[in-house]
Amino acid sequence: MVDRAAELLRGASTAVALTGAGVSAESGIPTFRGEGGLWTKYDPVKVSSIDSFLADPASYWQVSKERGNIALAARPNPGHEALAAMETAGRLVAVITQNTDGLHQAAKSRRVIELHGSGRTVECLECGARESRADVQARLDLEMPPRCKSCGGGVLKPTVVLFGEPMPVDAVNEALELARVADVILVVGSSLVVYPAAEIPLIAVRSGARMIVVNAEPTPFDGLAEIVIHGRSGEVLPEIAQLIGA
Ligand code: NAD
């Protein structure tokens, strides 16, 4: 299967990757779904919706504080590095990601489209000023919820897309355009149940792309894929990268 995936990528002219939380699992960041997923511990709508954030930002930040410590300390794993190497070698055009952890950029992927925003910055809900998440993380023990330094009062929110919020229009349009022109779509570490992100591989396949799925568990789209590899992305992707000379 790894050989066939490499062959498909070698023959592609516009290969695009779509990644989800699974690609960062081996960096120590828990996924939402799947074994050990966070949603076995929390109710997603309570924790990650804009309505619950606005009703009780301190509760959101309590959970986010724990996750932030993990995400800020995380480093790219061999899966992120393999995707960056494929791009450098001219075998991959872009990475579209559902992740907010910034690890593709840390691994030196150049064209990264963040569908769900970035957890590396926060924004004031009053004046719109932005600060780095690392700076805010450092004062969470003193201030909960954290407040804006610029205007002195507004509540800060991570620049991630919460349930009930619109997705960033430019990122979505760029991802849709890539899905339409891709001849290979490589889906990695996504349960493919979060829409509209899960629409991307569907659009790609309907537009003629051949799909490769690399995921620890089966996904609802495995039947549409030409190649399905059930395994850990930190192991599978470096093998594929090596076979295509990346
Ligand atoms: P998900 O949590 O719904 O699913 C993750 C998938 O990855 C599962 O199917 C699981 O079987 C698989 N997986 C786990 N470990 C793996 C590994 N080592 N190699 C390959 N696959 C592995 O993730 P999702 O579909 O991306 O959707 C959840 C949403 O939550 C995302 O849209 C994202 O915004 C957010 N999220 C982001 C992060 C992050 O930034 N790292 C982490 C958790 C959730």
Side-chain angles (χ1 to χ4, degrees), residues 15-57:
V16 173
L18 172 72
T19 66
V23 79
S24 295
E26 288 156 83
S27 293
I29 303 180
T31 59
F32 276 4
R33 298 175 188 77
E35 209 186 312
L38 279 179
W39 288 358
T40 54
K41 278 166 74 183
Y42 305 113
D43 174 345
V45 178
K46 270 196 193 144
V47 173
S48 294
S49 76
I50 186 64
D51 288 346
S52 56
F53 179 92
L54 294 173
D56 184 4

Side-chain angles (χ1 to χ4, degrees), residues 43-82:
D43 174 345
V45 178
K46 270 196 193 144
V47 173
S48 294
S49 76
I50 186 64
D51 288 346
S52 56
F53 179 92
L54 294 173
D56 184 4
S59 290
Y60 173 92
W61 273 104
Q62 281 299 352
V63 175
S64 185
K65 179 179 160 186
E66 185 192 332
R67 282 181 57 69
N69 282 332
I70 296 168
L72 289 169
R75 293 290 164 260
N77 67 56
H80 299 106
E81 284 158 6

Side-chain angles (χ1 to χ4, degrees), residues 139-202:
R139 60 180 200 263
L140 288 179
D141 284 336
L142 308 169
E143 194 182 35
M144 190 63 83
R147 293 191 180 267
C148 178
K149 275 183 174 170
S150 301
C151 70
V155 169
L156 295 173
K157 176 190 159 294
T159 53
V160 298
V161 178
L162 298 182
F163 283 104
E165 286 192 294
M167 289 172 61
V169 175
D170 289 352
V172 171
N173 286 342
E174 193 178 354
L176 291 175
E177 182 52 28
L178 282 166
R180 287 187 202 105
V181 299
D183 55 359
V184 171
I185 179 105
L186 169 63
V187 182
V188 185
S190 176
S191 57
L192 291 176
V193 296
V194 179
Y195 281 81
E199 202 96 48
I200 305 270
L202 278 184

Side-chain angles (χ1 to χ4, degrees), residues 59-124:
S59 290
Y60 173 92
W61 273 104
Q62 281 299 352
V63 175
S64 185
K65 179 179 160 186
E66 185 192 332
R67 282 181 57 69
N69 282 332
I70 296 168
L72 289 169
R75 293 290 164 260
N77 67 56
H80 299 106
E81 284 158 6
L83 290 172
M86 288 182 205
E87 185 184 7
T88 303
R91 299 292 186 189
L92 194 67
V93 168
V95 177
I96 303 167
T97 189
Q98 295 168 260
N99 296 343
T100 57
D101 56 34
L103 291 183
H104 287 301
Q105 292 92 329
K108 305 254 186 305
S109 277
R110 287 186 300 264
R111 189 168 175 195
V112 181
I113 298 139
E114 293 177 311
L115 291 176
H116 295 161
S118 168
R120 297 272 160 178
T121 51
V122 302
E123 188 170 35
C124 172

Side-chain angles (χ1 to χ4, degrees), residues 124-147:
C124 172
L125 294 181
E126 295 293 327
C127 74
R130 288 194 174 198
E131 274 189 67
S132 91
R133 171 65 191 255
D135 288 349
V136 172
Q137 190 72 16
R139 60 180 200 263
L140 288 179
D141 284 336
L142 308 169
E143 194 182 35
M144 190 63 83
R147 293 191 180 267

